[in-house]
Amino acid sequence: MSRRMYRSALVIGGIVAAAALVGSTAASAAPGRPGEPRYGAGADGAGDPYFPLAGNGGIDVLHYDLDLDYTPPAPAPAPLEGQLSGVATIELVATQDLDRFNLDLRGLTASSVVVGSKSMSFTQTGDELIITPRPKLKTGQSTTVTVAYGGTTTRPTDIEGALYGWVTTRDGAMVVSEPDGSSTWFPVSDHPTDKATYSFGITVPAGRTAVANGLLVGSETADGKTTWTWDAPDPMAAYLATATVGDFRLEQYTAANGTPIIDAIDSTRSANQVAALARTSDMISFFEERYGPYPFVSYGAIVDNDSVGYALETQTRSFFSGSAGESTVAHELAHQWMGNHVSPGRWADIWLNEGWATYSAWIWLEERGVSTAQARFQAVMNRPATSSTWNTVVADPGPLGLFGTPVYDRGAATLHALRVKVGDTAFFGIAQEWVARFGGGTATTADFIALAEEISGQDLASFFDVWVSQPPKPTVW
Ligand code: TRP
Ligand code: ZN
């Protein structure tokens, strides 16, 4: 069972074909005199062993402005295919002298690429859009890359076979891209280590609503089409971007801490299916007390009418397919601190996302008098030594294990065991310093261990060894 309630139970056998063996193209610098630019190609990936071609070397994206025009499928029995055309205006900085660099783009065709104000030649190979800027880019130089692109949208799947990315639905699209699905809807440096700010203009048939991250700037209708404009000024990992389209009504209010809340509720949802959203403001206050100030300009939920059982912590606007249960609402909200503000440095570090979010729901349910964190911990510990919870290296679960039960439950149990070991003051001190120190960027398991030792003053090497580096069920720690 993978992804618990957050993702439908899909157990796909098999292995990833030599994923860790596929190297990224190293930057090949041409010889030059000292001080002269040494132009070469940016790497075709960010260097993450789980997804070697995700992200790109040689560039640091600062901002994506995504201008999308989307036509959802015709009514059944027409195929579940939409038409997407986009113009992505990407501000980036060269981090090495570049005569070539890549962006990730999957299943869509680029029709023009402009760097600065000049049209450039480009090619598409596999999921890579390869751009040869002229003049070449020097280290530290910033420029704007404008890509016009488009194509037919379908229902892409990740390496587990689970739907993700720009998932075409009858009424629009559910756009949920973790871990590497953003390239199914825009040209992107698709790795959490390259966070950027975003703005969106999404044009859809009048009557449909397009929901993205951040704040709603406005909507304008002309000639039977509505353009929805959103602004997301907080640095964001690409997998957390969304531009979900459907038959939504927007509900706006202000949380107790002053954060503007924008919920998007599919017209078919019952009051029951969204009842737990009424606790959002209280939950924000609860997690602020423990993790520090809510880190973003806004929050809210998208509750769609798809039956796949998904929830994703899309930044500032958590996504729920079907219904939003209380524990899941707490889980996705907690991700805003744990996963979104502080994001994994490598996908292998995913337990820091899912362990924290799962643990956060445990402590919220304790606050509500439903069950204690200690009881939830005990329930995990009651699993027999033969359970999959105890055959996984949680801090390196492999690309097919990213969203498996051990990452969630053993990750949360690890945090509870840490809390008991170091005490509440140190534990929540670690949580707050984690968010304060690494917020806006990424951090790794090694960073977490070092911080836990720093704040607690304890040597935690063997604690973390048995909990996250060794598969067997911990007995002493
Ligand atoms: N991060 C999600 C959660 O636990 C699970 C998830 C991973 C997901 N990849 C996804 C959900 C893709 C939807 C689509 O909250
Ligand atoms: Zn999660």
Side-chain angles (χ1 to χ4, degrees), residues 293-313:
Y294 178 75
F296 303 131
V297 290
S298 67
Y299 190 61
I302 302 169
V303 186
D304 211 341
N305 63 343
D306 305 286
S307 55
V308 286
Y310 276 20
L312 182 69
E313 62 269 25

Side-chain angles (χ1 to χ4, degrees), residues 6 299 310-314 318-320 327-336 340 354 357:
Y6 309 104
Y299 190 61
Y310 276 20
L312 182 69
E313 62 269 25
T314 24
S318 293
F319 177 91
F320 305 84
S327 161
T328 313
V329 169
H331 177 113
E332 306 308 337
L333 173 61
H335 267 309
Q336 305 301 318
N340 296 7
E354 301 306 344

Side-chain angles (χ1 to χ4, degrees), residues 6-20:
Y6 309 104
R7 193 124 175 201
S8 53
L10 269 162
V11 182
I12 307 280
I15 52 163
V16 193

Side-chain angles (χ1 to χ4, degrees), residues 266-287:
D266 183 277
S267 63
T268 65
R269 297 304 88 186
S270 69
N272 235 351
Q273 288 170 314
V274 298
L277 295 181
R279 305 222 177 253
T280 298
S281 175
D282 287 350
M283 287 183 187
I284 291 175
S285 301
F286 178 81
F287 291 125

Side-chain angles (χ1 to χ4, degrees), residues 5 60 69 96 121 124 167 174 208 247 261 306 319 327 335 341 381 407 431-433 449 473:
M5 71 188 76
D60 174 14
D69 195 309
Q96 66 187 67
S121 65
Q124 284 185 264
V167 180
M174 97 171 167
R208 307 288 164 93
D247 181 12
I261 309 293
D306 305 286
F319 177 91
S327 161
H335 267 309
H341 196 39
M381 296 311 283
V407 165
Q432 286 187 21
E433 185 59 20
I449 295 171
K473 185 171 179 176

